[in-house]
Every structure is written in structure tokens, then in C-alpha cells.
Amino acid sequence: MNKQLLNEFSNQINKEYYSAFLYLSMSNWLNEAGMPGAANWTYVQYQEELAHAENLFRYLQYRDEIVQLMKIDQPDKEWDSVLDVFKNVLSHEKKVTASINNLTTEAINASDHAARIFLEWYVSEQVEEEANASDLIHKFKMAGDNPNALLMLDSQLATRTFVAPVVPGVG
Ligand code: FEO
């Protein structure tokens, strides 16, 4: 694999682990804030981000490359409200989308069509991640300060469970 592309893959692995830490931190805050359903939702997202990182790692190993593991930044630990949490989810996912798009462009520039095809799963996944965050922002805005609406929404988020994603091409 082209060295520049390999570096970008390593950076992406770091970003996915950072995403996992961010969601774990959000889950912590939401639990303390008395929103166990939203805490569950972000905890499941933490598990998803770990899977994103691990599948990138496994792909590089499959390509017989040495993965560079880097220091993971400390995530934020406080937010103003549950709505603020989900606004941050969306803005964070938009950054990840830009990063995945850049990585895909690197693969195209390197004429690494195998890597480009592998990354297609991540490109599609980002559409879903942004759509989920937008949907939750919309719902929390509608719930406003109404305790009944917030409790009902929180109990819906409590039903989310982790299903390990199947990422094609990792061997
Ligand atoms: Fe791995 Fe939320 O992007």
C-alpha cells in the first residue's frame, strides 16, 4: 500500500477510537443526568466505533501492513443538555464523514481500487450516522422541556442494542 494512504488509514483508526471514547464519555454524562436510555444509545455507539476501528485494523493486517497506533485524545466530559449532546454527535459525525471522504480520495489518487471498494462501507455508514443524529436532534427539540415526552423518548433509546457490523473485505 502507498505510504501516504497507509498513514491516512492509521489516522482514521485513531479517529474511530477517539469517537469511541467520546461516546463513552457522553454515556457517562447522560447516565449522571438521569437519562439512562440516551446513555444506552451512546454506549451502543461506543461499541460501534470500536468495531469501525477494529475493522480498519483488520483490513490493514489482511493487506499485510503494519498498523501505526497513536495516542488517543481526551474527549469532552460535560454538555449543557441532552439536546446539546446530540448536536455534538452530529457535528462530530460530520467531521468523521469528511475524514472518510478524504481517505477515500487518497485511495483513488493512489489507484488503490481495493482500498476504495473497502471504504465504500464506511462512506455509506456515515450517511446513516448523520441521519440518526439529525433524527434524534429533531426528536429532542420536539420534546423540549416536557418531562413526559423526554421520559418516553429516553425509554425508546433504551431499546437500542449492539449488532456487530459485517464489513466486507476484512478477510
Ligand atoms: Fe465511526 Fe461514527 O463513525
Side-chain angles (χ1 to χ4, degrees):
M1 184 181 285
N2 168 306
K3 201 167 187 295
Q4 171 74 16
L5 180 59
L6 179 58
N7 282 341
E8 293 300 329
F9 261 99
S10 293
N11 285 333
Q12 190 62 40
I13 289 173
N14 184 268
K15 285 174 186 169
E16 300 290 350
Y17 278 121
Y18 171 77
S19 299
F21 260 31
L22 177 63
Y23 286 116
L24 193 60
S25 184
M26 285 172 168
S27 181
N28 211 18
W29 186 87
L30 287 161
N31 200 45
E32 281 301 302
M35 299 291 286
N40 171 67
W41 193 96
T42 46
Y43 187 82
V44 171
Q45 194 59 36
Y46 153 75
Q47 293 174 297
E48 286 221 351
E49 300 301 346
L50 288 181
H52 294 170
E54 282 162 11
N55 280 290
L56 287 165
F57 178 85
R58 284 173 59 203
Y59 179 70
L60 290 185
Q61 285 202 321
Y62 194 41
R63 293 277 304 259
D64 208 19
E65 300 290 353
I66 301 278
V67 181
Q68 231 186 46
L69 294 173
M70 291 168 284
K71 182 178 160 189
I72 302 164
D73 287 341
Q74 185 173 11
D76 286 345
K77 59 180 181 183
E78 281 179 26
W79 291 270
D80 295 336
S81 63
V82 63
L83 176 60
D84 186 40
V85 169
F86 286 100
K87 282 182 175 173
N88 275 273
V89 168
L90 181 59
S91 63
H92 176 71
E93 287 303 335
K94 284 185 174 177
K95 284 186 209 153
V96 177
T97 299
S99 178
I100 290 287
N101 285 342
N102 285 339
L103 180 57
T104 306
T105 302
E106 284 291 341
I108 292 167
N109 290 343
S111 298
D112 193 328
H113 299 292
R116 175 185 59 76
I117 291 166
F118 167 73
L119 288 167
E120 276 178 8
W121 184 90
Y122 285 83
V123 172
S124 301
E125 175 72 3
Q126 282 311 120
V127 176
E128 189 185 320
E129 302 252 295
E130 287 192 28
N132 288 344
S134 294
D135 180 54
L136 288 173
I137 288 170
H138 184 63
K139 285 179 174 156
F140 275 106
K141 276 186 178 166
M142 282 204 302
D145 291 330
N146 181 325
N148 285 342
L150 283 171
L151 278 177
M152 203 183 300
L153 188 48
D154 193 60
S155 60
Q156 281 173 17
L157 299 188
T159 62
R160 187 183 189 195
T161 54
F162 175 65
V163 179
V166 178
V167 181
V170 291

